[in-house]
Amino acid sequence: MFDIEKMKIKPLCMQAMDAAREHLDDLVKPIGALGGMEELAVRLAGITGVVKGDYSQRAVLVFAADNGIWDEGISPVPQEVTAAQTLNILNGLAGVSVLCRWANAGLRVVDVGIKAPIAHPFLIARKVCKGTASIAQGPAMTRQQALEAMQTGFEQAQELIRGGVRLLGIGEMGICNTATSAAVLCALTGAQVLQAVGKGAGVDEAAFQKKRACVARALEVNKPDPQDPIGVLAKVGGLDIAAMAGAYIACGVNGVPAVVDGYISIVAALAACRLLPKLRDYLIASHRSFEPGYALAVEALGLRPMIHLDMRLGEGSGCPLAFAVIDAAMAVMRDMGTFSQGNIDAGSLVDIRE
C-alpha cells in the first residue's frame, strides 16, 4: 500500500538554476524583460538539472471518478456524464483531447472510480470502487481506498515517466468534484465555505446555496483533521483527487516537472504538498481557474499561474497550453543570441527586475 514515508524528493539543483539565470541575463534583451518566462526556465533547470531542457516528450494524465455528493441534488448534470465525457476524451472529442493533439502531447485516461459501467480500448481500468459515498452524510471512502487511489495515481505517473515522459500534466473528470475540492481546501487551509465553493459546471442560485450547505455539512459531519491530509482525502475528498495527489508525488520523486490544471488539480496538489512540502518546487501552475477557491489554493502553495483566460473546463485542458509556454521558454534558452553575439554592450542596461 502507498507509503508516504518512503517517498523522497530532492531539493532543486541550485547549480543548474544559477547557470540558467546567468544565461538568461546574457541574452540580448533588457535584463529580466521576459518576466515569468525567465522564472519558468530557471525553475525547470532546478527540477531537472538541465539548463536547456527538452520537454517534447510530454503527456496529460486524466483521472476519472464519480462523487457521492451528487446524490444531494447539488448539480443539474446527470451523473452519467462522468462516463460519457470520459469516453469523449478517449475518442478525441473533448477539449483536452484536441489541445493535446495540438500540443503534440500524449493523453492517458484512468478510471479510478466511475460509477457507471465503462469500457474503451484505451481506458486504463483501475477502479478502486464505484464512486464515493456522499460526504454530506459521512466519509467519502475508507482510508485504505484513499491510499489505493493515491498508489494508482503514483503508479500511472511513474509508468509514463519510465516510458520517457519528461513533462506531465495532471487532470480529472468527475461530476461534482468542485464540491469535494472545496471541502478538501477548507479542511486543509481553514478557508470558509463561502470563499471556497463556486458554481462549477453551472448551477442556478438554489442549487448553489444547496452546494454550499452540503460542503459545510460535510465538514461538520466528518471533522477532517488538517494535520492528516490522507484522512482529509478519505473523509471529504474524491478518488480523482487522491489519484492526482499520488501522480504529483511520483513527479517529485522522479524529478519531473508536473503541470497543474485548474481548481480540482491544484487542490490535489495542495494535499500532496501537505504530505511532502518539497514537492511544491516541482509544480507548475498552468492557468488561473475562474473558480473562486482556486485563488486560495494557489496562494497557499505560493505558485504563480502563467495563463489568465477565465477557464474552468477541467479535464487537464490547461496543461497543453502550459506546454506551449514551456516550449517558448526553452526556445529562448536555446536560440536567443547573447550580448556579444548581438554586438551590444550590456554595461549600460538596467536590471528591470529591481
Side-chain angles (χ1 to χ4, degrees), residues 53-249:
D54 179 359
Y55 302 99
S56 57
Q57 298 300 309
R58 66 277 196 104
V60 176
L61 180 56
V62 177
F63 297 99
D66 276 305
N67 299 278
I69 196 171
W70 181 88
D71 295 336
E72 306 298 325
I74 65 171
S75 173
V77 180
Q79 194 169 47
E80 291 77 14
V81 169
T82 298
Q85 187 65 0
T86 299
L87 291 173
N88 286 334
I89 295 172
L90 289 160
N91 288 328
L93 302 175
V96 68
S97 315
V98 172
L99 291 169
C100 279
R101 286 198 300 273
W102 165 78
N104 294 314
L107 177 60
R108 175 176 290 203
V109 183
V110 184
D111 171 13
V112 287
I114 299 175
K115 188 174 182 179
I118 181 172
H120 190 280
F122 299 129
L123 177 67
I124 308 297
R126 295 291 185 273
K127 202 186 300 285
V128 175
C129 59
K130 294 181 179 180
T132 55
S134 172
I135 61 174
Q137 306 300 326
M141 63 190 108
T142 66
R143 190 181 187 88
Q144 182 175 352
Q145 287 171 327
L147 288 168
E148 186 179 344
M150 292 182 73
Q151 181 167 338
T152 297
F154 185 93
E155 290 173 349
Q156 291 299 311
Q158 181 132 294
E159 187 174 310
L160 287 170
I161 292 166
R162 289 176 174 173
V165 168
R166 292 296 171 263
L167 178 64
L168 190 59
I170 310 295
E172 43 60 43
M173 180 61 223
I175 300 302
C176 288
N177 59 8
T178 58
T180 51
S181 296
V184 171
L185 177 62
C186 290
L188 291 176
T189 66
Q192 298 299 307
V193 170
L194 293 179
Q195 297 174 291
V197 178
K199 292 191 175 182
V203 293
D204 60 23
E205 188 60 27
F208 182 40
Q209 295 305 323
K210 182 181 286 187
K211 181 178 181 180
R212 283 177 165 174
C214 284
V215 172
R217 192 184 319 137
L219 294 168
E220 176 61 29
V221 167
N222 290 288
K223 295 180 172 54
D225 179 1
Q227 303 304 314
D228 178 18
I230 295 173
V232 169
L233 293 174
K235 288 182 174 181
V236 298
L239 293 159
D240 49 355
I241 300 174
M244 285 190 288
Y248 287 124
I249 291 171

